[in-house]
Amino acid sequence: PLSDAARVRLHGVDNYTDTIPFEKAMEPTTLLAYEMNGVPLPDRHGYPLRVIVPGYFGEKHVKWLTRVELTNANANAKGFYETQGWGPNFITPTRSRIDVPDYDSRFSISQLQQPIEVKGIAYGGDRGISRVELSFDDEKSWRDAEIYYSGGNLAWSLWKARDGWMPDAPGDYVLVV
């Protein structure tokens, strides 16, 4: 690439185009995938070639690549969604959710033999997850959850409430992660 390369424009066979910063394209986790699980990439996943851009929304993972073009900062290198007024930040936000107990669960305090199990997943794009916090009083106070499986910087992490949760009294509770 020339020294003024600033953006990478990706062209798909379906006339879809998108762009990513040159620096992001050069990160070792950004891939041009031609195989999946040791076999050629299936058509529906982007055969013959697809870009994988960890940390960015899937719209930046252009399928069916036909051309990769480098542009300088002065070029009007905008992808489909940028021309529609979206962006410029397509970075995947950090997300977390509670999977156990189910939403709108009900328990009888008098019948609880042990604390209620509270667990879920968290994802930080390509940044990973280093901490998960829980609130059992509608965000008035917080406590750390235990990350019992760290998926690394590119995958979901699994977390749970340390020692579960036991409500102090009957009532409605809002749990927040």
Side-chain angles (χ1 to χ4, degrees), residues 25-169:
M26 296 307 293
E27 289 180 3
T29 54
T30 300
L31 305 173
L32 291 175
Y34 59 90
E35 287 184 339
M36 186 168 85
N37 299 322
V39 297
L41 199 61
D43 288 338
R44 68 185 183 127
H45 290 290
Y47 176 86
L49 193 64
R50 176 192 187 144
V51 67
I52 305 293
V53 190
Y56 280 24
F57 283 113
E59 290 81 2
K60 296 288 183 182
H61 300 221
V62 178
K63 297 178 178 180
W64 311 295
L65 280 176
T66 59
R67 192 166 112 207
V68 177
E69 176 184 5
L70 300 180
T71 65
N72 63 28
N74 297 326
N76 188 15
K78 290 186 174 183
F80 175 79
Y81 286 97
E82 286 100 343
T83 62
Q84 304 297 312
W86 293 67
N89 183 353
F90 288 89
I91 296 171
T92 307
T94 299
R95 303 263 193 223
S96 59
R97 71 178 192 215
I98 297 171
D99 293 318
V100 175
D102 290 331
Y103 177 77
D104 218 13
S105 291
R106 300 191 182 283
F107 301 92
S108 173
I109 289 182
S110 63
Q111 294 179 356
L112 283 176
Q113 302 290 320
Q114 58 192 16
I116 299 167
E117 182 179 47
V118 180
K119 58 190 207 178
I121 58 178
Y123 179 67
D126 61 351
R127 298 168 308 280
I129 296 294
S130 61
R131 184 176 186 187
V132 175
E133 295 176 294
L134 291 166
S135 174
F136 298 103
D137 55 11
D138 201 14
E139 302 185 60
K140 293 181 186 105
S141 64
W142 295 88
R143 72 183 205 198
D144 285 333
E146 174 188 342
I147 298 173
Y148 65 92
Y149 173 77
S150 175
N153 286 353
L154 299 175
W156 291 89
S157 292
L158 308 178
W159 59 264
K160 65 181 176 180
R162 298 175 204 261
D163 306 318
W165 170 64
M166 184 64 83
D168 294 329

